[in-house]
Every structure is written in C-alpha cells, then in structure tokens.
C-alpha cells in the first residue's frame, strides 16, 4: 500500500510580483517565471498550469506538485436591471462574501470585500451587525477581481475595460487586514496583472489611524474616509471606533496621508445620511467647518435600510438640502445614487454569509436569498 501525504499547496493567486519571484527562486527557478505566471493568472484568467504553454512541461509538472492557482467559488451571479452585477463567492471556510460591479458610462467600479464580517460594529451597517469571522487572504481578495474580470473574457484588444476602478468598500474594514489588502491592491495596480492606476484603487476606512499611517509608508492608493458625522458626540454613536480615534486625529492622519502622496489628490469623505440622525442643516454647516482646508470631495450616501435596523433613509429633499449647504461652502459634493436595488447590491447591504465567531449577533439571521 502506498501512503500519500496531503501537502498544502501554495496558492499563487494572491502573490504580488516580489513574492512570486521569491517563490520561484526558492524552487531553484528563474525569477522571470513570475512575470509569465502573473500574466497567465491575471490577464488571461488561467488557473491550470497546463494552460501556461510558455513554460516547459517539466516545470509545469514540478509546479503542480507544490502550487495551485485557486480563486473563490462563485455561488451566485446576477445582473440588475440597471447593469449592476453582483457575485456571491464562497471562500474556503464555507463563508461567503459579495462583490459588486457598477458600470457607469466608460467606468466600471468593482466593490471588493476585505474581511468576512467586520468587528467594528457601526450602528448603520449590516455587515457590522453580523459580527466578524476572519480576514480574507490576499488570494481571496484579488480572487474577487479575478472572477469579475474572467466574466468578461475574452477581451477585445482595444475594447472597453470592464473594470477601471476598484474600491475596497465591500464587507470588512480593509485596514484591519493590512498585509493582505496591501498585497491585493499591489496586484490591482501591477501592470503584469490588472494595471489599474493608483488613483483608481481606493481604500475606504472608518479610521484606523495607526494603520493609515503605515499605509502611507507602503502605498499610494486613493483614500476614502467614512466620517458620517461632524462631531465626536454623534460619531461615537455611529462609529464606535471613534471613541478610540476621534475626528480631529483622523482628519490630521488624512492630511498626513495626502501630503505623502506623489501627486495632488483629494480624499473622499463618505457620509451616510440617516434621517433625523445626521441629516440636519446644522450638521452640514458643522461639517463644512470641520473639513475646512482638507483637500477632499464629499460623497453623501443616503442610508440603505436593512431589516435589523431602525434607521431610516432621509428624503431626497433632505439629502439635497444637505448637499446644497456643502456646495455653497465650496465643497464638491455628490450624492451616491443607489444601484442594483433589485439584487440587494447597494452600499451596506453586502452581507454574504457570516458564521459569526464573535457571537455578537446570533439573532441576525442572514436574510439573503441565495441561489446556488
Ligand atoms: N469598513 C470600511 C469599508 C466598507 S463600508 C468603511 O467603513 O469605510 C463602505 C461604505 O458603506 C462605508 O462608507 C460605510 O459607512 C457605508 N455604509 C455601510 N452601511 C451602510 C448603509 N446601510 N447605508 C449606506 N451606507 C452604508
Ligand atoms: Fe465595518 Fe465599515 Fe461596516 Fe463600520 S461601516 S461595521 S467599519 S464594514
């Protein structure tokens, strides 16, 4: 009887160029193999070493023994009436996350998840209400881009690019999964992989200041700050993390990050507008003062209701009134229109399936209807 020992294979999908080069070197192979494999995986969507025909059969066999290219499993893929497309992807642990592609003219913005659940428990966020399970690996994060891009293959060489922008605004707090998010974002920007400009890869954070400072040392992606309130008293209620990292400190860190970028760029200030919570004219006036001098544009997101929440979406009139005050104070302010309503793809409705390890919210049973 022959005994076979199962060897955990290295998944190459989440490795940025430098790590892949080191991997090939450790196998006694040439570094340039990394270039070939990156292009096969990310530009052509290959997940089988036998597709990689510019490598010898012997090398392919050698790779198969120790490595694999494994993306997430798609369990749901639907396109909304307005063109928004949503995937539910099952990860190794059996949990699932959601990824949304929002086409808008020439632009295609992919909203990517960084964690299964989220530990920060913002009161208006359905992801937060479902607790935290675990960080996604770099392969699982870039795997979402990989799946989305594969859906549009084969490409026309000079045709439209389906994904021009990536925002880390799906499930999870990206800066609490720092290394994996940085690796995945490097692959998004890597010319041999997705080649997306650093201006068009955006990390969104509720304000983990030490991690934001670290990000400034290793990356130059664009930044979105989830502010949601113009003063600490109100923000403490909406974003519990504010008790640790209050607004003044967060905005100072945002300034530091922007001044460290090689080009002139604005931060996006995200403000989820909630009826009778933070939608009053005095909030808009206070916000205009708080943000003075910060290079930014403001994105107002009308609250998207979900069953477990008592908050309500403000009227369009209230949101426009809020916007007008900010515009008059000199801020570029947009209102994010809800897309993909019919397939539950709106902001803050990305829930997937979270087996909550924190046991915070056992009463929140997933409401998502999933078709396998
Ligand atoms: N954790 C990160 C990124 C994911 S959330 C962050 O908080 O920035 C992406 C954006 O959606 C955040 O600005 C978040 O505040 C917003 N959001 C969450 N729930 C929402 C809801 N129910 N309605 C509208 N926006 C919501
Ligand atoms: Fe986490 Fe962001 Fe949701 Fe807050 S808004 S609970 S940080 S995902």
């Amino acid at each position: 009887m022959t005994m076979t020992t199962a060897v955990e294979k290295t998944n190459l999908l989440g490795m940025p160029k430098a790590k892949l080069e080191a991997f090939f070197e450790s196998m006694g192979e040439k570094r340039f193999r990394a270039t070939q494999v990156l292009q096969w995986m990310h530009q052509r969507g290959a997940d089988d070493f036998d597709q990689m025909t510019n490598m010898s059969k012997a090398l392919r066999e050698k790779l198969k023994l120790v490595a694999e290219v494994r993306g997430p499993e798609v369990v749901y893929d639907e396109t909304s009436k307005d063109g928004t497309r949503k995937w539910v992807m099952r990860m190794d642990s059996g949990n699932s996350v959601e990824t949304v592609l929002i086409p808008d003219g020439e632009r295609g913005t992919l909203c990517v998840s960084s964690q299964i659940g989220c530990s920060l428990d913002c009161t208006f966020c359905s992801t937060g209400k479902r607790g935290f399970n675990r960080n996604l690996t770099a392969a699982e994060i870039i795997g979402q881009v990989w799946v989305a891009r594969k859906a549009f293959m084969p490409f026309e060489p000079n045709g439209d690019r389906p994904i021009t922008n990536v925002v880390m605004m799906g499930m999870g707090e990206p800066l609490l999964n720092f290394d994996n998010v940085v690796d995945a974002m490097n692959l998004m920007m890597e010319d041999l992989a997705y080649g997306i400009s650093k201006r068009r890869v955006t990390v969104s954070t509720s304000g983990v200041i030490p991690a934001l400072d670290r990000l400034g040392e290793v990356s130059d992606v664009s930044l979105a700050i989830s502010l949601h309130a113009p003063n600490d008293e109100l923000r403490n209620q909406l974003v519990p993390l504010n008790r640790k990292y209050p607004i003044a400190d967060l905005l100072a860190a945002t300034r530091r990050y922007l001044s460290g970028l090689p080009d002139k760029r604005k931060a996006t200030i995200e403000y989820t507008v909630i009826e009778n919570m933070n939608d009053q004219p005095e909030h808009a006036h206070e916000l205009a003062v708080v943000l003075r001098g910060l290079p930014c544009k403001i994105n107002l997101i009308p609250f998207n209701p979900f069953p477990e929440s008592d908050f309500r979406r403000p009227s369009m009139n209230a949101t426009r009134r809020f916007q007008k005050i900010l515009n008059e104070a000199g801020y570029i302010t947009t209102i994010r229109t809800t897309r993909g309503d019919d397939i539950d793809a709106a902001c803050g409705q990305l829930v997937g399936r979270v087996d909550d390890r924190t046991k915070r919210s056992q009463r929140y049973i997933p409401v998502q209807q999933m078709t396998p």
Side-chain angles (χ1 to χ4, degrees), residues 269-300:
I269 299 294
E270 291 171 280
Y271 194 103
T272 296
V273 194
I274 308 170
E275 188 179 77
N276 293 333
M277 271 305 283
N278 63 358
D279 66 338
Q280 297 302 305
E282 64 261 28
H283 296 128
H285 288 295
E286 199 179 353
L287 185 63
V289 173
V290 162
L291 294 177
R292 192 149 292 155
L294 179 75
C296 68
K297 51 188 190 240
I298 302 167
N299 196 352
L300 302 177

PDB file of all heavy atoms in Angstrom, residues 269-300:
ATOM      1  N   ILE A 269     -14.613  62.012   1.363  1.00  0.00           N
ATOM      2  CA  ILE A 269     -15.247  61.908   2.680  1.00  0.00           C
ATOM      3  C   ILE A 269     -16.605  61.257   2.475  1.00  0.00           C
ATOM      4  O   ILE A 269     -17.460  61.797   1.763  1.00  0.00           O
ATOM      5  CB  ILE A 269     -15.412  63.302   3.333  1.00  0.00           C
ATOM      6  CG1 ILE A 269     -14.043  63.976   3.537  1.00  0.00           C
ATOM      7  CG2 ILE A 269     -16.192  63.196   4.645  1.00  0.00           C
ATOM      8  CD1 ILE A 269     -13.125  63.298   4.535  1.00  0.00           C
ATOM      9  N   GLU A 270     -16.784  60.085   3.066  1.00  0.00           N
ATOM     10  CA  GLU A 270     -18.068  59.403   2.925  1.00  0.00           C
ATOM     11  C   GLU A 270     -18.959  59.780   4.106  1.00  0.00           C
ATOM     12  O   GLU A 270     -18.512  59.816   5.249  1.00  0.00           O
ATOM     13  CB  GLU A 270     -17.860  57.893   2.889  1.00  0.00           C
ATOM     14  CG  GLU A 270     -17.168  57.440   1.620  1.00  0.00           C
ATOM     15  CD  GLU A 270     -16.785  55.988   1.704  1.00  0.00           C
ATOM     16  OE1 GLU A 270     -15.767  55.698   2.329  1.00  0.00           O
ATOM     17  OE2 GLU A 270     -17.525  55.169   1.163  1.00  0.00           O
ATOM     18  N   TYR A 271     -20.208  60.052   3.755  1.00  0.00           N
ATOM     19  CA  TYR A 271     -21.148  60.475   4.791  1.00  0.00           C
ATOM     20  C   TYR A 271     -22.478  59.794   4.506  1.00  0.00           C
ATOM     21  O   TYR A 271     -23.191  60.151   3.573  1.00  0.00           O
ATOM     22  CB  TYR A 271     -21.276  62.009   4.743  1.00  0.00           C
ATOM     23  CG  TYR A 271     -21.946  62.648   5.939  1.00  0.00           C
ATOM     24  CD1 TYR A 271     -21.195  63.290   6.923  1.00  0.00           C
ATOM     25  CD2 TYR A 271     -23.338  62.635   6.069  1.00  0.00           C
ATOM     26  CE1 TYR A 271     -21.820  63.895   8.012  1.00  0.00           C
ATOM     27  CE2 TYR A 271     -23.961  63.246   7.159  1.00  0.00           C
ATOM     28  CZ  TYR A 271     -23.199  63.879   8.129  1.00  0.00           C
ATOM     29  OH  TYR A 271     -23.804  64.479   9.200  1.00  0.00           O
ATOM     30  N   THR A 272     -22.757  58.767   5.279  1.00  0.00           N
ATOM     31  CA  THR A 272     -24.039  58.080   5.154  1.00  0.00           C
ATOM     32  C   THR A 272     -25.092  58.946   5.839  1.00  0.00           C
ATOM     33  O   THR A 272     -24.974  59.232   7.037  1.00  0.00           O
ATOM     34  CB  THR A 272     -23.964  56.682   5.802  1.00  0.00           C
ATOM     35  OG1 THR A 272     -23.016  55.899   5.069  1.00  0.00           O
ATOM     36  CG2 THR A 272     -25.305  55.980   5.788  1.00  0.00           C
ATOM     37  N   VAL A 273     -26.074  59.378   5.061  1.00  0.00           N
ATOM     38  CA  VAL A 273     -27.064  60.314   5.591  1.00  0.00           C
ATOM     39  C   VAL A 273     -28.249  59.527   6.153  1.00  0.00           C
ATOM     40  O   VAL A 273     -28.888  58.745   5.438  1.00  0.00           O
ATOM     41  CB  VAL A 273     -27.555  61.288   4.493  1.00  0.00           C
ATOM     42  CG1 VAL A 273     -28.309  62.455   5.131  1.00  0.00           C
ATOM     43  CG2 VAL A 273     -26.398  61.795   3.652  1.00  0.00           C
ATOM     44  N   ILE A 274     -28.508  59.721   7.448  1.00  0.00           N
ATOM     45  CA  ILE A 274     -29.545  58.956   8.145  1.00  0.00           C
ATOM     46  C   ILE A 274     -30.593  59.926   8.684  1.00  0.00           C
ATOM     47  O   ILE A 274     -30.252  60.931   9.328  1.00  0.00           O
ATOM     48  CB  ILE A 274     -28.931  58.157   9.324  1.00  0.00           C
ATOM     49  CG1 ILE A 274     -27.735  57.328   8.825  1.00  0.00           C
ATOM     50  CG2 ILE A 274     -29.981  57.266   9.985  1.00  0.00           C
ATOM     51  CD1 ILE A 274     -26.909  56.705   9.949  1.00  0.00           C
ATOM     52  N   GLU A 275     -31.849  59.601   8.425  1.00  0.00           N
ATOM     53  CA  GLU A 275     -32.929  60.512   8.791  1.00  0.00           C
ATOM     54  C   GLU A 275     -32.921  60.814  10.292  1.00  0.00           C
ATOM     55  O   GLU A 275     -32.837  59.898  11.130  1.00  0.00           O
ATOM     56  CB  GLU A 275     -34.276  59.906   8.398  1.00  0.00           C
ATOM     57  CG  GLU A 275     -35.421  60.890   8.589  1.00  0.00           C
ATOM     58  CD  GLU A 275     -36.751  60.295   8.168  1.00  0.00           C
ATOM     59  OE1 GLU A 275     -37.313  59.492   8.934  1.00  0.00           O
ATOM     60  OE2 GLU A 275     -37.210  60.631   7.069  1.00  0.00           O
ATOM     61  N   ASN A 276     -33.010  62.102  10.594  1.00  0.00           N
ATOM     62  CA  ASN A 276     -33.079  62.584  11.980  1.00  0.00           C
ATOM     63  C   ASN A 276     -31.902  62.177  12.859  1.00  0.00           C
ATOM     64  O   ASN A 276     -31.990  62.209  14.091  1.00  0.00           O
ATOM     65  CB  ASN A 276     -34.378  62.126  12.673  1.00  0.00           C
ATOM     66  CG  ASN A 276     -35.579  62.788  12.041  1.00  0.00           C
ATOM     67  OD1 ASN A 276     -35.460  63.894  11.488  1.00  0.00           O
ATOM     68  ND2 ASN A 276     -36.718  62.124  12.085  1.00  0.00           N
ATOM     69  N   MET A 277     -30.815  61.752  12.230  1.00  0.00           N
ATOM     70  CA  MET A 277     -29.608  61.432  12.998  1.00  0.00           C
ATOM     71  C   MET A 277     -28.530  62.453  12.676  1.00  0.00           C
ATOM     72  O   MET A 277     -28.021  63.146  13.549  1.00  0.00           O
ATOM     73  CB  MET A 277     -29.084  60.039  12.604  1.00  0.00           C
ATOM     74  CG  MET A 277     -29.622  58.863  13.365  1.00  0.00           C
ATOM     75  SD  MET A 277     -29.404  58.992  15.129  1.00  0.00           S
ATOM     76  CE  MET A 277     -27.683  58.597  15.314  1.00  0.00           C
ATOM     77  N   ASN A 278     -28.190  62.505  11.387  1.00  0.00           N
ATOM     78  CA  ASN A 278     -27.063  63.356  10.971  1.00  0.00           C
ATOM     79  C   ASN A 278     -27.392  64.139   9.718  1.00  0.00           C
ATOM     80  O   ASN A 278     -26.495  64.544   8.986  1.00  0.00           O
ATOM     81  CB  ASN A 278     -25.814  62.481  10.749  1.00  0.00           C
ATOM     82  CG  ASN A 278     -26.030  61.475   9.612  1.00  0.00           C
ATOM     83  OD1 ASN A 278     -27.113  61.412   9.030  1.00  0.00           O
ATOM     84  ND2 ASN A 278     -24.995  60.720   9.297  1.00  0.00           N
ATOM     85  N   ASP A 279     -28.704  64.338   9.455  1.00  0.00           N
ATOM     86  CA  ASP A 279     -29.117  64.916   8.165  1.00  0.00           C
ATOM     87  C   ASP A 279     -29.608  66.357   8.269  1.00  0.00           C
ATOM     88  O   ASP A 279     -30.169  66.892   7.327  1.00  0.00           O
ATOM     89  CB  ASP A 279     -30.205  64.042   7.531  1.00  0.00           C
ATOM     90  CG  ASP A 279     -31.500  64.037   8.344  1.00  0.00           C
ATOM     91  OD1 ASP A 279     -31.454  64.345   9.558  1.00  0.00           O
ATOM     92  OD2 ASP A 279     -32.551  63.726   7.763  1.00  0.00           O
ATOM     93  N   GLN A 280     -29.428  66.981   9.426  1.00  0.00           N
ATOM     94  CA  GLN A 280     -29.978  68.326   9.621  1.00  0.00           C
ATOM     95  C   GLN A 280     -29.036  69.412   9.070  1.00  0.00           C
ATOM     96  O   GLN A 280     -27.821  69.196   9.004  1.00  0.00           O
ATOM     97  CB  GLN A 280     -30.200  68.565  11.120  1.00  0.00           C
ATOM     98  CG  GLN A 280     -31.222  67.616  11.727  1.00  0.00           C
ATOM     99  CD  GLN A 280     -32.577  67.710  11.033  1.00  0.00           C
ATOM    100  OE1 GLN A 280     -33.152  68.797  10.935  1.00  0.00           O
ATOM    101  NE2 GLN A 280     -33.073  66.599  10.507  1.00  0.00           N
ATOM    102  N   PRO A 281     -29.606  70.564   8.698  1.00  0.00           N
ATOM    103  CA  PRO A 281     -28.759  71.642   8.176  1.00  0.00           C
ATOM    104  C   PRO A 281     -27.604  71.989   9.110  1.00  0.00           C
ATOM    105  O   PRO A 281     -26.490  72.247   8.642  1.00  0.00           O
ATOM    106  CB  PRO A 281     -29.730  72.827   8.041  1.00  0.00           C
ATOM    107  CG  PRO A 281     -31.063  72.192   7.853  1.00  0.00           C
ATOM    108  CD  PRO A 281     -31.039  70.903   8.623  1.00  0.00           C
ATOM    109  N   GLU A 282     -27.833  71.947  10.415  1.00  0.00           N
ATOM    110  CA  GLU A 282     -26.717  72.307  11.316  1.00  0.00           C
ATOM    111  C   GLU A 282     -25.563  71.301  11.213  1.00  0.00           C
ATOM    112  O   GLU A 282     -24.403  71.664  11.409  1.00  0.00           O
ATOM    113  CB  GLU A 282     -27.172  72.473  12.775  1.00  0.00           C
ATOM    114  CG  GLU A 282     -27.697  71.235  13.452  1.00  0.00           C
ATOM    115  CD  GLU A 282     -29.226  71.193  13.466  1.00  0.00           C
ATOM    116  OE1 GLU A 282     -29.853  71.769  12.552  1.00  0.00           O
ATOM    117  OE2 GLU A 282     -29.782  70.573  14.405  1.00  0.00           O
ATOM    118  N   HIS A 283     -25.906  70.042  10.897  1.00  0.00           N
ATOM    119  CA  HIS A 283     -24.831  69.059  10.703  1.00  0.00           C
ATOM    120  C   HIS A 283     -24.000  69.412   9.466  1.00  0.00           C
ATOM    121  O   HIS A 283     -22.778  69.278   9.464  1.00  0.00           O
ATOM    122  CB  HIS A 283     -25.406  67.643  10.562  1.00  0.00           C
ATOM    123  CG  HIS A 283     -26.112  67.161  11.791  1.00  0.00           C
ATOM    124  ND1 HIS A 283     -27.391  66.661  11.779  1.00  0.00           N
ATOM    125  CD2 HIS A 283     -25.708  67.136  13.085  1.00  0.00           C
ATOM    126  CE1 HIS A 283     -27.746  66.331  13.016  1.00  0.00           C
ATOM    127  NE2 HIS A 283     -26.743  66.619  13.830  1.00  0.00           N
ATOM    128  N   ALA A 284     -24.686  69.830   8.413  1.00  0.00           N
ATOM    129  CA  ALA A 284     -23.978  70.189   7.175  1.00  0.00           C
ATOM    130  C   ALA A 284     -23.075  71.404   7.425  1.00  0.00           C
ATOM    131  O   ALA A 284     -21.914  71.435   6.993  1.00  0.00           O
ATOM    132  CB  ALA A 284     -24.977  70.479   6.066  1.00  0.00           C
ATOM    133  N   HIS A 285     -23.600  72.396   8.155  1.00  0.00           N
ATOM    134  CA  HIS A 285     -22.788  73.590   8.450  1.00  0.00           C
ATOM    135  C   HIS A 285     -21.569  73.224   9.293  1.00  0.00           C
ATOM    136  O   HIS A 285     -20.456  73.688   9.043  1.00  0.00           O
ATOM    137  CB  HIS A 285     -23.639  74.642   9.185  1.00  0.00           C
ATOM    138  CG  HIS A 285     -24.648  75.315   8.291  1.00  0.00           C
ATOM    139  ND1 HIS A 285     -24.287  76.120   7.224  1.00  0.00           N
ATOM    140  CD2 HIS A 285     -26.001  75.282   8.288  1.00  0.00           C
ATOM    141  CE1 HIS A 285     -25.377  76.563   6.611  1.00  0.00           C
ATOM    142  NE2 HIS A 285     -26.432  76.066   7.238  1.00  0.00           N
ATOM    143  N   GLU A 286     -21.793  72.363  10.273  1.00  0.00           N
ATOM    144  CA  GLU A 286     -20.698  71.951  11.147  1.00  0.00           C
ATOM    145  C   GLU A 286     -19.646  71.155  10.359  1.00  0.00           C
ATOM    146  O   GLU A 286     -18.440  71.325  10.545  1.00  0.00           O
ATOM    147  CB  GLU A 286     -21.277  71.091  12.286  1.00  0.00           C
ATOM    148  CG  GLU A 286     -20.362  70.983  13.484  1.00  0.00           C
ATOM    149  CD  GLU A 286     -20.990  70.138  14.606  1.00  0.00           C
ATOM    150  OE1 GLU A 286     -22.172  69.741  14.516  1.00  0.00           O
ATOM    151  OE2 GLU A 286     -20.261  69.863  15.595  1.00  0.00           O
ATOM    152  N   LEU A 287     -20.124  70.323   9.433  1.00  0.00           N
ATOM    153  CA  LEU A 287     -19.209  69.525   8.615  1.00  0.00           C
ATOM    154  C   LEU A 287     -18.339  70.439   7.740  1.00  0.00           C
ATOM    155  O   LEU A 287     -17.130  70.217   7.591  1.00  0.00           O
ATOM    156  CB  LEU A 287     -20.025  68.566   7.730  1.00  0.00           C
ATOM    157  CG  LEU A 287     -19.238  67.577   6.891  1.00  0.00           C
ATOM    158  CD1 LEU A 287     -18.445  66.616   7.788  1.00  0.00           C
ATOM    159  CD2 LEU A 287     -20.175  66.763   5.979  1.00  0.00           C
ATOM    160  N   ALA A 288     -18.986  71.473   7.198  1.00  0.00           N
ATOM    161  CA  ALA A 288     -18.244  72.405   6.339  1.00  0.00           C
ATOM    162  C   ALA A 288     -17.094  73.049   7.121  1.00  0.00           C
ATOM    163  O   ALA A 288     -16.005  73.267   6.580  1.00  0.00           O
ATOM    164  CB  ALA A 288     -19.191  73.480   5.798  1.00  0.00           C
ATOM    165  N   VAL A 289     -17.327  73.320   8.403  1.00  0.00           N
ATOM    166  CA  VAL A 289     -16.274  73.933   9.224  1.00  0.00           C
ATOM    167  C   VAL A 289     -15.173  72.909   9.544  1.00  0.00           C
ATOM    168  O   VAL A 289     -13.979  73.191   9.416  1.00  0.00           O
ATOM    169  CB  VAL A 289     -16.886  74.508  10.533  1.00  0.00           C
ATOM    170  CG1 VAL A 289     -15.782  74.984  11.476  1.00  0.00           C
ATOM    171  CG2 VAL A 289     -17.858  75.635  10.207  1.00  0.00           C
ATOM    172  N   VAL A 290     -15.612  71.709   9.917  1.00  0.00           N
ATOM    173  CA  VAL A 290     -14.657  70.667  10.327  1.00  0.00           C
ATOM    174  C   VAL A 290     -13.697  70.286   9.195  1.00  0.00           C
ATOM    175  O   VAL A 290     -12.525  70.002   9.429  1.00  0.00           O
ATOM    176  CB  VAL A 290     -15.446  69.427  10.824  1.00  0.00           C
ATOM    177  CG1 VAL A 290     -14.581  68.186  10.858  1.00  0.00           C
ATOM    178  CG2 VAL A 290     -16.002  69.693  12.209  1.00  0.00           C
ATOM    179  N   LEU A 291     -14.217  70.304   7.969  1.00  0.00           N
ATOM    180  CA  LEU A 291     -13.396  69.852   6.833  1.00  0.00           C
ATOM    181  C   LEU A 291     -12.584  70.977   6.189  1.00  0.00           C
ATOM    182  O   LEU A 291     -11.831  70.740   5.247  1.00  0.00           O
ATOM    183  CB  LEU A 291     -14.281  69.204   5.758  1.00  0.00           C
ATOM    184  CG  LEU A 291     -14.979  67.901   6.162  1.00  0.00           C
ATOM    185  CD1 LEU A 291     -15.868  67.414   5.033  1.00  0.00           C
ATOM    186  CD2 LEU A 291     -13.949  66.833   6.534  1.00  0.00           C
ATOM    187  N   ARG A 292     -12.738  72.186   6.717  1.00  0.00           N
ATOM    188  CA  ARG A 292     -12.069  73.330   6.078  1.00  0.00           C
ATOM    189  C   ARG A 292     -10.563  73.090   5.919  1.00  0.00           C
ATOM    190  O   ARG A 292      -9.891  72.650   6.844  1.00  0.00           O
ATOM    191  CB  ARG A 292     -12.331  74.596   6.893  1.00  0.00           C
ATOM    192  CG  ARG A 292     -11.921  75.850   6.156  1.00  0.00           C
ATOM    193  CD  ARG A 292     -12.798  77.030   6.529  1.00  0.00           C
ATOM    194  NE  ARG A 292     -14.167  76.873   6.044  1.00  0.00           N
ATOM    195  CZ  ARG A 292     -15.232  77.456   6.597  1.00  0.00           C
ATOM    196  NH1 ARG A 292     -15.105  78.188   7.662  1.00  0.00           N
ATOM    197  NH2 ARG A 292     -16.432  77.271   6.068  1.00  0.00           N
ATOM    198  N   GLY A 293     -10.088  73.341   4.704  1.00  0.00           N
ATOM    199  CA  GLY A 293      -8.653  73.221   4.458  1.00  0.00           C
ATOM    200  C   GLY A 293      -8.203  71.825   4.049  1.00  0.00           C
ATOM    201  O   GLY A 293      -7.070  71.639   3.627  1.00  0.00           O
ATOM    202  N   LEU A 294      -9.100  70.844   4.182  1.00  0.00           N
ATOM    203  CA  LEU A 294      -8.717  69.478   3.799  1.00  0.00           C
ATOM    204  C   LEU A 294      -9.013  69.278   2.306  1.00  0.00           C
ATOM    205  O   LEU A 294     -10.144  69.520   1.881  1.00  0.00           O
ATOM    206  CB  LEU A 294      -9.524  68.460   4.623  1.00  0.00           C
ATOM    207  CG  LEU A 294      -9.236  66.986   4.310  1.00  0.00           C
ATOM    208  CD1 LEU A 294      -7.896  66.556   4.891  1.00  0.00           C
ATOM    209  CD2 LEU A 294     -10.352  66.090   4.867  1.00  0.00           C
ATOM    210  N   PRO A 295      -8.010  68.854   1.518  1.00  0.00           N
ATOM    211  CA  PRO A 295      -8.311  68.579   0.103  1.00  0.00           C
ATOM    212  C   PRO A 295      -9.236  67.355   0.019  1.00  0.00           C
ATOM    213  O   PRO A 295      -8.802  66.242   0.277  1.00  0.00           O
ATOM    214  CB  PRO A 295      -6.942  68.264  -0.510  1.00  0.00           C
ATOM    215  CG  PRO A 295      -5.928  68.673   0.524  1.00  0.00           C
ATOM    216  CD  PRO A 295      -6.619  68.601   1.850  1.00  0.00           C
ATOM    217  N   CYS A 296     -10.501  67.607  -0.267  1.00  0.00           N
ATOM    218  CA  CYS A 296     -11.450  66.483  -0.266  1.00  0.00           C
ATOM    219  C   CYS A 296     -12.654  66.756  -1.139  1.00  0.00           C
ATOM    220  O   CYS A 296     -12.929  67.886  -1.511  1.00  0.00           O
ATOM    221  CB  CYS A 296     -11.928  66.197   1.171  1.00  0.00           C
ATOM    222  SG  CYS A 296     -12.970  67.492   1.881  1.00  0.00           S
ATOM    223  N   LYS A 297     -13.328  65.689  -1.490  1.00  0.00           N
ATOM    224  CA  LYS A 297     -14.676  65.797  -2.029  1.00  0.00           C
ATOM    225  C   LYS A 297     -15.566  64.962  -1.135  1.00  0.00           C
ATOM    226  O   LYS A 297     -15.088  64.021  -0.482  1.00  0.00           O
ATOM    227  CB  LYS A 297     -14.714  65.343  -3.478  1.00  0.00           C
ATOM    228  CG  LYS A 297     -14.098  63.993  -3.707  1.00  0.00           C
ATOM    229  CD  LYS A 297     -13.992  63.696  -5.191  1.00  0.00           C
ATOM    230  CE  LYS A 297     -13.595  62.249  -5.359  1.00  0.00           C
ATOM    231  NZ  LYS A 297     -12.394  61.962  -6.029  1.00  0.00           N
ATOM    232  N   ILE A 298     -16.832  65.333  -1.106  1.00  0.00           N
ATOM    233  CA  ILE A 298     -17.737  64.673  -0.162  1.00  0.00           C
ATOM    234  C   ILE A 298     -18.729  63.807  -0.935  1.00  0.00           C
ATOM    235  O   ILE A 298     -19.293  64.242  -1.931  1.00  0.00           O
ATOM    236  CB  ILE A 298     -18.496  65.726   0.685  1.00  0.00           C
ATOM    237  CG1 ILE A 298     -17.483  66.613   1.426  1.00  0.00           C
ATOM    238  CG2 ILE A 298     -19.449  65.047   1.671  1.00  0.00           C
ATOM    239  CD1 ILE A 298     -18.089  67.861   2.045  1.00  0.00           C
ATOM    240  N   ASN A 299     -18.889  62.594  -0.456  1.00  0.00           N
ATOM    241  CA  ASN A 299     -19.835  61.681  -1.086  1.00  0.00           C
ATOM    242  C   ASN A 299     -20.945  61.376  -0.082  1.00  0.00           C
ATOM    243  O   ASN A 299     -20.690  60.768   0.956  1.00  0.00           O
ATOM    244  CB  ASN A 299     -19.077  60.407  -1.480  1.00  0.00           C
ATOM    245  CG  ASN A 299     -19.846  59.575  -2.468  1.00  0.00           C
ATOM    246  OD1 ASN A 299     -21.009  59.844  -2.762  1.00  0.00           O
ATOM    247  ND2 ASN A 299     -19.204  58.547  -2.975  1.00  0.00           N
ATOM    248  N   LEU A 300     -22.143  61.831  -0.392  1.00  0.00           N
ATOM    249  CA  LEU A 300     -23.270  61.575   0.501  1.00  0.00           C
ATOM    250  C   LEU A 300     -23.937  60.272   0.066  1.00  0.00           C
ATOM    251  O   LEU A 300     -24.262  60.089  -1.107  1.00  0.00           O
ATOM    252  CB  LEU A 300     -24.287  62.723   0.425  1.00  0.00           C
ATOM    253  CG  LEU A 300     -23.751  64.115   0.775  1.00  0.00           C
ATOM    254  CD1 LEU A 300     -24.847  65.174   0.579  1.00  0.00           C
ATOM    255  CD2 LEU A 300     -23.236  64.152   2.214  1.00  0.00           C
TER     256      LEU A 300
END
